[in-house]
């Protein structure tokens, strides 16, 4: 497997280099074609019954010049496909008229014809291919001292036809792959846009509900408070009644506000807070709950758990966010990492920031495979609201890693 991986990496690098240096890669191709043509010009295809022989003939200077010009024209095959084909085709015709037997200059025309097929549309490919194939084959049959059906004449017909077909096939495959890639990218953009749109619509709906609830009850409280203030001295009983209405309206507003905000809570969250907001000082209890649930958890802290170390006291918002991030990350480990997974939690104070890292060695992704989980989204929104950063993704060698970096100091150097 390492050998296969190394080979794949080498091929990918070579492909990237070819894309980045097209002129240089075409120069290498032209040199290889020239070497092949020069080698073939020393071969005599029908010198004996055993097949072609080498060294029985030598190309004349004109043949060599035509081969050099034909190979040199291939350097510009990407920039000017049609002019290169016309040039190499003309050189092939000149070779057929002057060379007896001709040199293999036709191979430069074959490469140029393939390039036309790979970089133009299908109708152009077949029109140009049939014209090139017909003209070169007809001239070769007309001028050949051998019978018209001789092998060297039919080989021109075969090579030019295969070049056109191969170029068209490569162009079709490239277009197919590009179309698949474009559809995949468009589908991904559509999913992301749809998700953002639904989130925005839901938040707008909740914001409107909050506005309606708060506006209605605050208006009622304002009216009743005004009445109480007006009649406080002269009619205290009526003032008490107005204050009772104020208390009832405020209680109703709080209940409706709690119910509306509850729509944003996760399914496992309590309906209403029944104890002070947790923080890193209560982290041991949180970790014990996961340990009792069957998840081994190791914890390490360095001056950031609120118990020791310089500057260990954290702002309330940061302390709560750190606790919730650890809670959500361990919940994801418990749900998605597998039964045999283990977790490691570290909280480190680094200058004006605190780093919270949760690692596991399980086989899960930290979120449901269908992308339906909202844990990472909620953590990212919480961290972003505090001006921090969150990274989450698979670990090299297996497992998942979640890391949050939260600012502890503000720009003036005081606690945030």
């Amino acid at each position: 497997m390492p050998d296969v991986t190394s080979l794949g990496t080498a091929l990918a690098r070579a492909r990237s280099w070819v894309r980045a240096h097209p002129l240089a890669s075409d120069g290498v191709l032209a040199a290889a074609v020239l070497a092949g043509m020069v080698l073939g010009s020393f071969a005599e295809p029908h010198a004996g019954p055993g097949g072609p022989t080498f060294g029985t003939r030598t190309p004349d200077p004109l043949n060599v010049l035509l081969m050099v010009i034909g190979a040199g024209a291939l350097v510009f095959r990407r920039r000017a496909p049609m002019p290169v084909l016309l040039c190499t085709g003309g050189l092939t015709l000149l070779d057929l008229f002057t060379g007896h037997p001709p040199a293999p200059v036709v191979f430069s025309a074959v490469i140029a014809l393939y390039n036309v097929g790979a970089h133009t549309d299908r109708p152009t490919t077949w029109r140009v291919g049939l014209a090139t194939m017909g003209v070169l084959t007809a001239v070769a049959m007309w001028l050949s001292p051998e019978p018209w059906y001789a092998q060297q004449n039919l080989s021109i017909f075969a090579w030019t036809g295969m070049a056109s077909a191969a170029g068209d096939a490569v162009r079709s495959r490239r277009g197919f792959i590009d179309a698949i890639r474009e559809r995949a990218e468009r589908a991904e953009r559509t999913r992301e846009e749809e998700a953002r749109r639904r989130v925005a619509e839901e938040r707008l709906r909740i914001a409107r509900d909050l506005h309606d609830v708060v506006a209605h009850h605050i208006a009622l409280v304002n009216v009743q408070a005004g009445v109480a203030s007006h009649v406080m001295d002269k009619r205290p009983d009526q003032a008490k009644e107005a204050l009772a209405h104020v208390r009832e309206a405020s209680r109703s507003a709080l209940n409706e506000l709690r119910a509306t905000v509850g729509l944003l809570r996760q399914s496992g969250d309590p309906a209403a807070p029944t104890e002070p907001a947790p923080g890193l000082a209560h982290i041991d209890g949180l970790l014990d709950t996961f340990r009792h649930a069957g998840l081994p958890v190791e914890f390490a802290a360095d001056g950031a758990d609120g118990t020791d170390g310089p500057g260990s006291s954290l702002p309330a918002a940061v302390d709560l966010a750190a606790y919730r991030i650890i809670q959500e990350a361990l919940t994801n480990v418990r749900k998605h990492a597998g039964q045999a997974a283990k977790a490691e939690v570290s909280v480190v104070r680094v200058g004006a920031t605190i780093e919270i890292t949760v690692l596991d060695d399980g086989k899960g992704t930290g979120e449901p495979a269908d992308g339906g989980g909202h844990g990472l989204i909620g953590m990212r929104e919480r961290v972003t609201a505090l001006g921090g950063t969150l990274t989450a993704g698979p670990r090299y060698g297996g497992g998942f890693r979640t890391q949050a970096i939260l600012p502890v100091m503000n720009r003036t150097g005081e606690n945030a």
Side-chain angles (χ1 to χ4, degrees), residues 329-402:
L330 291 178
T331 301
N332 287 339
V333 174
R334 186 71 183 88
K335 289 181 179 179
H336 311 298
Q339 295 295 328
K342 299 179 181 179
E344 299 178 7
V345 179
S346 66
V347 181
V348 181
R349 180 74 172 265
V350 181
T353 63
I354 181 175
E355 297 182 3
I356 303 101
T357 305
V358 180
L359 308 175
D360 70 77
D361 58 357
K363 298 180 180 180
T365 62
E367 283 290 303
D370 59 359
H374 303 287
L376 290 179
I377 297 176
M379 281 191 288
R380 183 167 284 107
E381 289 183 350
R382 185 186 293 272
V383 171
T384 302
L386 294 175
T389 58
L390 177 74
T391 57
R395 299 171 60 193
Y396 179 78
F400 201 82
R401 175 178 181 269
T402 303

Side-chain angles (χ1 to χ4, degrees), residues 19-84:
R19 291 196 186 104
H21 306 85
L23 197 62
S25 62
D26 288 339
V28 173
L29 175 64
V33 172
L34 177 60
M37 290 191 296
V38 171
L39 182 63
S41 65
F42 284 92
E44 182 63 47
H46 301 291
T53 58
F54 290 88
T56 56
R57 71 164 181 163
T58 303
D60 56 42
L62 179 59
N63 293 135
V64 175
L65 178 62
L66 294 177
M67 288 186 288
V68 171
I69 297 176
L74 295 179
V75 177
F76 307 98
R77 66 187 185 94
R78 298 177 193 265
R79 297 185 177 182
M82 285 296 185
V84 170

Side-chain angles (χ1 to χ4, degrees), residues 6 22 25 29 66 82 128 130 143 192 211 327 335 368 386 392 404:
S6 300
S25 62
L29 175 64
L66 294 177
M82 285 296 185
V128 173
L130 289 174
L143 297 177
E192 293 176 355
H211 173 270
Q327 182 183 42
K335 289 181 179 179
L386 294 175

Side-chain angles (χ1 to χ4, degrees), residues 275-287 299 304-307 314-327 347 354:
E275 58 184 15
L280 292 180
H282 306 87
I283 193 65
D284 291 337
L286 175 66
L287 299 180
F299 178 70
D305 58 350
T307 60
L314 298 175
V318 176
D319 195 24
L320 175 61
Y323 182 92
R324 293 302 187 193
I325 290 169
I326 296 173
Q327 182 183 42
V347 181
I354 181 175

Side-chain angles (χ1 to χ4, degrees), residues 184-222:
E185 293 175 353
R186 185 167 59 250
E188 184 66 23
R189 289 195 300 269
T190 301
R191 285 194 296 269
E192 293 176 355
E193 291 172 359
E194 179 67 15
R196 286 194 295 267
R197 184 185 65 80
R198 290 184 178 182
V199 170
E201 290 179 353
E202 182 66 14
R203 289 179 175 177
L204 180 60
R205 185 188 67 80
I206 293 175
R208 289 172 176 170
D209 291 344
L210 289 174
H211 173 270
D212 294 342
V213 169
V214 173
H216 169 74
H217 289 286
I218 291 300
L220 182 60
V221 166
N222 182 60

